[in-house]
Amino acid sequence: MSVKVKAVILAGGFSRRMGRDKSLVLWEGVPLLRRVYDVAAAVVGDVTVMTPWGDRYREILPADYHWLADERPGEGPLVALQQVLGESNPAEVDWIWLLGCDLPCLDGAILRGWVNHLENHFSEQLVAVARSQAGWEPLCGFYRPEVLPQLREFIAQGGRSFQNWLDGVPHVQIPLGEAEAEMLYNCNYLEEGKGE
């Protein structure tokens, strides 16, 4: 892999639909956050968990896991991405791979293909995200640090919707087949967990 990709997993949101911290919900006996973490680590190696509560996940993650304090918890993933990009050095990372903690079906082989394909994108293509029938899938998407000025402007104008923002930035749409679409299933309700 010639491009430098850093994975950032968003964890510790309010999980209103789930009713409790979805990061800790078990899926086939493994906490959702740990499942996502393990896949991301296997694909790119460099993984950070962004959360307001770093100590909360110490028991379920590797002892040396890196976490980033969410400075504006509760303001949504677009604001979280703004912070991540603001703390990313373009000289050290080519892409930020933003991940939700509620993606239990991630497939390492598919994702390695996505990551390896990033080197084929033109420098002016600032975002690489899949689009399903429901819309963009931003919480398994790739963002160049150089997109930060456009994101800051959008947020400063009151924007909080990934769907609206992604329509307006230079992007690559990652093609979705059936297997890729199934991989992006996200778990939002407690009864969906397998193995609770």
Side-chain angles (χ1 to χ4, degrees):
M1 180 175 62
S2 61
V3 292
K4 294 170 283 188
V5 181
K6 177 179 181 176
V8 177
I9 306 169
L10 302 183
F14 291 116
S15 305
R16 291 180 181 92
R17 287 176 288 184
M18 183 71 74
R20 68 184 178 99
D21 187 348
K22 68 174 67 174
S23 299
L24 301 173
V25 169
L26 300 181
W27 183 281
E28 297 179 351
V30 180
L32 286 173
L33 175 57
R34 182 61 193 248
R35 291 180 69 90
V36 174
Y37 184 97
D38 287 346
V39 172
V43 173
V44 298
D46 186 358
V47 183
T48 293
V49 176
M50 184 176 190
T51 177
W53 312 297
D55 291 337
R56 179 179 291 186
Y57 306 120
R58 291 198 184 280
E59 292 184 8
I60 65 166
L61 292 174
D64 60 347
Y65 90 99
H66 182 257
W67 71 282
L68 173 65
D70 186 345
E71 295 173 353
R72 296 168 65 179
E75 293 198 33
L78 202 61
V79 172
L81 176 60
Q82 177 181 237
Q83 179 187 337
V84 171
L85 293 174
E87 298 184 20
S88 300
N89 184 345
E92 296 175 358
V93 62
D94 297 309
W95 295 89
I96 294 294
W97 178 20
L98 193 69
L99 287 159
C101 67
D102 56 355
L103 298 165
C105 302
L106 293 177
D107 183 306
I110 291 173
L111 293 165
R112 273 186 209 92
W114 287 8
V115 167
N116 290 336
H117 195 66
L118 290 173
E119 65 185 347
N120 298 327
H121 299 326
F122 297 112
S123 60
E124 62 268 19
Q125 296 171 317
L126 301 178
V127 175
V129 181
R131 188 176 186 122
S132 67
Q133 292 180 340
W136 294 109
E137 299 288 347
L139 296 187
C140 188
F142 302 88
Y143 306 87
R144 291 189 192 272
E146 291 85 357
V147 79
L148 180 59
Q150 294 178 44
L151 179 56
R152 280 185 174 145
E153 182 178 356
F154 181 78
I155 290 174
Q157 294 172 355
R160 293 296 185 273
S161 166
F162 254 116
Q163 301 300 319
N164 294 339
W165 179 63
L166 287 169
D167 284 336
V169 296
H171 59 262
V172 175
Q173 183 173 325
I174 298 172
L176 276 191
E178 186 176 341
E180 291 84 358
E182 289 177 1
M183 175 188 77
L184 294 176
Y185 165 79
N186 66 312
C187 182
N188 283 316
Y189 298 95
L190 193 55
E191 58 268 21
E192 297 176 25
K194 293 184 178 182
E196 271 288 44

